[in-house]
Amino acid sequence: DAKTTQPPSMDCAEGRAANLPCNHSTISGNEYVYWYRQIHSQGPQYIIHGLKNNETNEMASLIITEDRKSSTLILPHATLRDTAVYYCIVRVASGGGADGLTFGKGTHLIIQP
Amino acid sequence: EPEVTQTPSHQVTQMGQEVILRCVPISNHLYFYWYRQILGQKVEFLVSFYNNEISEKSEIFDDQFSVERPDGSNFTLKIRSTKLEDSAMYFCASTGPNQPQHFGDGTRLSIL
């Protein structure tokens, strides 16, 4: 079972920042937090990941609390194309590795025009 | 940007028939994976493959399933005798050292 908890759905107005929370209170010291999204039954798309420091890339920012028990994915200027199911996943390895990703039900983010 | 490609996009097969789903991972990746997603349900891990052998598999990946890397570019998933409950989207993914998994857009498998 997934080791993360996310709200099932969220709305956000187009052009505003979308802040998606994730609870991972049982995360281990060597586990990374990954975020993926899935747009309308396409393949999951990698967004960002981090261990303990905040991370930013061209798609999003990831804020991890100091105790690492929760995180927030921020889409700074949401567009209609950001409507998708967003998955927060914890995983031991930074990359590669035999273990697969364990997907939960994610958060269905709906961007409103 | 390099991507994982999967063929066919949609496969329709009679129950009991064998089916092979094909994937071309990103060229310098070393780890390969198959996942499935039954309609309306979560994405589920099936199997991982590294150095020409299975690294890890889930309890879903029973004797009806097999994977193969027949040449330097393709990675296949075979279902030996399909059942109605095998109907799902099947996603291939690949990754390299210190890289996240990248997914293809999937094959929709419909069993009649």
Side-chain angles (χ1 to χ4, degrees):
Chain A
D1 284 347
K3 296 177 63 175
T4 61
T5 304
Q6 299 177 251
S9 65
M10 291 181 63
D11 287 350
C12 179
E14 188 178 17
R16 304 298 293 268
N19 296 276
L20 291 92
C22 179
N23 183 291
H24 31 80
S25 58
T26 61
I27 193 169
S28 302
N30 61 348
E31 287 183 313
Y32 289 74
V33 180
Y34 282 80
W35 283 84
Y36 280 78
R37 72 181 181 183
Q38 189 175 26
I39 297 172
H40 199 251
S41 292
Q42 294 178 19
Q45 178 189 23
Y46 166 77
I47 301 172
I48 199 167
H49 75 285
L51 182 61
K52 54 184 178 181
N53 297 321
N54 297 338
E55 302 287 345
T56 295
N57 63 19
E58 66 278 3
M59 288 182 70
S61 294
L62 173 60
I63 308 299
I64 303 174
T65 58
E66 194 168 336
D67 64 6
R68 299 204 333 117
K69 293 185 177 184
S70 65
S71 60
T72 301
L73 178 75
I74 301 172
L75 307 178
H77 304 289
T79 71
L80 297 178
R81 290 181 296 178
D82 292 322
T83 292
V85 179
Y86 287 76
Y87 301 101
C88 170
I89 300 168
V90 296
R91 185 172 185 262
V92 171
S94 173
D99 53 317
L101 298 172
T102 300
F103 288 81
K105 295 183 178 180
T107 295
H108 187 193
L109 175 66
I110 299 171
I111 306 301
Q112 304 282 2
Chain B
E1 187 175 322
E3 56 184 32
V4 176
T5 56
Q6 293 186 241
T7 55
S9 57
H10 190 191
Q11 174 80 46
V12 181
T13 301
Q14 292 288 331
M15 185 172 59
Q17 296 296 306
E18 175 184 286
V19 67
I20 297 176
L21 308 182
R22 302 179 191 279
C23 169
V24 179
I26 294 173
S27 63
N28 62 347
H29 283 184
L30 302 175
Y31 296 86
F32 315 111
Y33 312 81
W34 283 102
Y35 294 78
R36 81 171 185 190
Q37 185 175 31
I38 295 170
L39 184 64
Q41 298 188 23
K42 297 184 286 187
V43 177
E44 299 174 290
F45 168 72
L46 292 179
V47 65
S48 61
F49 191 86
Y50 172 73
N51 202 25
N52 280 322
E53 59 184 28
I54 290 173
S55 298
E56 191 169 311
K57 59 183 181 179
S58 72
E59 56 189 31
I60 302 169
F61 193 88
D62 62 21
D63 291 345
Q64 294 291 345
F65 292 90
S66 62
V67 289
E68 190 178 30
R69 188 156 163 81
D71 53 43
S73 59
N74 290 285
F75 179 51
T76 62
L77 174 70
K78 181 193 292 186
I79 308 175
R80 208 178 326 275
S81 177
T82 51
K83 304 186 283 283
L84 293 177
E85 53 264 38
D86 294 326
S87 295
M89 285 291 292
Y90 287 82
F91 296 109
C92 173
S94 70
T95 187
N98 297 316
Q99 294 201 17
Q101 292 183 26
H102 290 273
F103 287 75
D105 275 337
T107 292
R108 179 178 303 281
L109 178 62
S110 299
I111 307 300
L112 304 180

